[in-house]
């Protein structure tokens, strides 16, 4: 029996001070190749796992789950693979939309969606619209997202307002309001699966004070228990850091 006020993850009695988790879902292609399957099989398994981890995060009362689904670098992959990835949002919502609605999950996206095929954009905007009044987990997909790209866009938008005379003083709060994550709680925890220990142009500004957890587990094998383990690392580190 754990003490009251302590974060607890056993049974239904779960509690975390972690509001925003971001994940680089790495290792899908390698996971598939290890079992002599196509990389696309890994991507499909990875998208099923998005559903599993989103439901787990919702149950754990996490407010926001930001997932790196497609980076600005991913366009350099073979055309067949890119084409397959473009179909995943539709496959995902066809399979899981009813369940996401039942669970009160709200879909969001960051990144430049304008480069995606019209149908992919439509499917995504439709999901965002259908779930806009849900009050559970915000499932935020980073799509054609790059951290430097986001910062440059913010700088240009700010420059524009300064030129127009509608903006004068630029501090951290003002700058943040021009980022795509504006309005969301700060990223408490960033997890990268599958062994690499890099940020790879994910949320550059937002990760300034985040706890970073790297695991060798590949994304299709990353289960609720692995999320809970990462949350425990977060709780222990932030308690030590904040408890002075
Ligand atoms: C492939 C692992 C879900 C990462 C997860 C377009 C690589 C599976 C989505 C998805 C991808 C995106 C938006 C949305 C609903 C679902 C997804 C992509 C790749 C790139 F509104 N999984 N997933 N999108 N993978």
């Amino acid at each position: 029996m754990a003490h009251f006020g302590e974060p607890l993850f056993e049974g239904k009695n779960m509690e975390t001070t972690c509001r925003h988790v971001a994940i680089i879902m790495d290792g899908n292609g390698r996971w598939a190749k290890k079992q002599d399957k196509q990389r696309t099989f890994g991507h499909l398994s990875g998208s099923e796992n998005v559903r599993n981890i989103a439901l787990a995060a919702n149950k754990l009362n996490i407010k926001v789950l930001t997932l790196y689904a497609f980076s600005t670098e991913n366009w350099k992959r073979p055309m067949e693979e890119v084409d397959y990835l473009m179909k995943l949002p539709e496959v995902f919502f066809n399979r899981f939309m009813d369940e996401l609605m039942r669970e009160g999950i709200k879909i969001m996206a960051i990144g430049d969606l304008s480069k995606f095929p019209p149908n992919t954009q439509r499917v995504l905007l439709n999901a965002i619209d259908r779930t806009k009044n849900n009050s559970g987990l915000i499932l935020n997909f980073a799509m054609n997202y790059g951290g430097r790209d986001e910062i440059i866009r913010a700088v240009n938008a700010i420059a524009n307002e300064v030129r127009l005379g509608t903006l004068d003083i630029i501090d951290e709060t003002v700058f943040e309001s021009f980022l795509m994550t504006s309005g969301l709680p700060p990223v408490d925890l960033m997890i990268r699966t599958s062994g690499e220990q890099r940020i790879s142009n994910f949320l550059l500004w937002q990760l300034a004070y985040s706890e970073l957890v790297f695991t060798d587990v590949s994304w299709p094998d990353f289960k609720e228990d692995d999320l809970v383990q990462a949350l425990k690392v977060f709780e222990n580190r932030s308690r030590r850091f904040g408890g002075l």
Side-chain angles (χ1 to χ4, degrees), residues 6 16 33 37 59 63 86 91 96-97 100 104 109 122 125 159 162 172 186 195 215 221-222 229 234 236 243:
E6 244 178 50
T16 176
K33 281 290 158 206
K37 300 255 173 56
K59 196 174 74 176
K63 299 283 162 271
M86 292 303 132
V91 172
F96 305 130
M97 183 48 119
L100 299 177
R122 207 158 36 231
L125 293 177
V162 170
E172 291 188 10
T215 171
D221 289 332
F222 187 87
Q229 208 190 319
F234 167 82
N236 289 328

Side-chain angles (χ1 to χ4, degrees), residues 87-116:
K87 293 183 191 128
L88 279 179
E90 185 168 18
V91 172
F92 181 86
F93 289 126
N94 283 341
R95 291 177 68 184
F96 305 130
M97 183 48 119
D98 291 347
E99 196 176 20
L100 299 177
M101 281 304 284
R102 270 202 304 281
E103 299 295 324
I105 292 172
K106 178 173 171 165
I107 304 295
M108 268 189 52
I110 56 171
D112 180 12
L113 297 183
S114 71
K115 302 290 188 299
F116 286 108

Side-chain angles (χ1 to χ4, degrees), residues 23-28 31 42-43 45-54 65 67 191 193-194 216-223:
I23 307 183
I24 302 178
M25 307 181 288
D26 202 5
N28 303 281
W31 178 88
H43 296 320
S45 304
S47 75
E48 284 172 23
N49 203 40
V50 167
R51 174 248 177 214
N52 297 335
I53 294 302
L65 180 64
L67 299 178
I191 302 167
T193 60
S194 202
D216 289 336
V217 177
S218 40
W219 174 249
D221 289 332
F222 187 87
K223 299 301 165 198

Side-chain angles (χ1 to χ4, degrees), residues 4-190:
F4 178 74
E6 244 178 50
L8 199 73
F9 295 97
E10 282 84 35
K12 289 255 167 293
N13 194 359
M14 292 159 291
E15 184 188 316
T16 176
T17 57
C18 185
R19 288 188 295 167
H20 190 165
V21 178
I23 307 183
I24 302 178
M25 307 181 288
D26 202 5
N28 303 281
R30 264 172 290 160
W31 178 88
K33 281 290 158 206
K34 248 191 273 169
Q35 9 180 351
D36 281 308
K37 300 255 173 56
Q38 305 245 302
R39 288 175 58 80
T40 52
F41 176 72
H43 296 320
L44 185 64
S45 304
S47 75
E48 284 172 23
N49 203 40
V50 167
R51 174 248 177 214
N52 297 335
I53 294 302
L55 294 185
N58 194 31
K59 196 174 74 176
L60 289 159
N61 262 320
I62 289 161
K63 299 283 162 271
V64 187
L65 180 64
T66 297
L67 299 178
Y68 210 177
F70 197 90
S71 78
T72 48
E73 297 301 295
N74 286 158
W75 296 110
K76 294 174 187 161
R77 293 192 180 172
M79 189 188 51
E80 307 80 51
E81 189 175 337
V82 171
D83 285 350
Y84 185 86
L85 290 170
M86 292 303 132
K87 293 183 191 128
L88 279 179
E90 185 168 18
V91 172
F92 181 86
F93 289 126
N94 283 341
R95 291 177 68 184
F96 305 130
M97 183 48 119
D98 291 347
E99 196 176 20
L100 299 177
M101 281 304 284
R102 270 202 304 281
E103 299 295 324
I105 292 172
K106 178 173 171 165
I107 304 295
M108 268 189 52
I110 56 171
D112 180 12
L113 297 183
S114 71
K115 302 290 188 299
F116 286 108
N119 187 57
T120 309
Q121 293 185 43
R122 207 158 36 231
V123 161
L124 188 56
L125 293 177
N126 176 264
I128 291 169
D129 190 61
R130 274 188 66 190
T131 61
K132 65 171 185 281
N133 296 320
N134 289 353
S135 56
L137 174 81
I138 295 173
L139 178 54
N140 183 29
F141 289 100
M143 306 263 289
N144 191 26
Y145 172 88
R148 289 184 176 179
D149 176 67
E150 179 189 37
I151 289 169
I152 293 298
R153 282 168 195 272
V155 167
N156 277 286
I158 288 167
N160 212 30
E161 290 218 13
V162 170
R163 199 179 309 124
L164 291 167
T166 52
L167 185 62
D168 175 20
I169 295 163
I170 303 140
D171 58 15
E172 291 188 10
T173 309
V174 169
F175 186 81
E176 234 158 33
S177 76
F178 282 84
L179 294 175
M180 295 162 177
T181 50
S182 159
L184 298 176
V187 178
D188 299 301
L189 170 64
M190 195 287 290

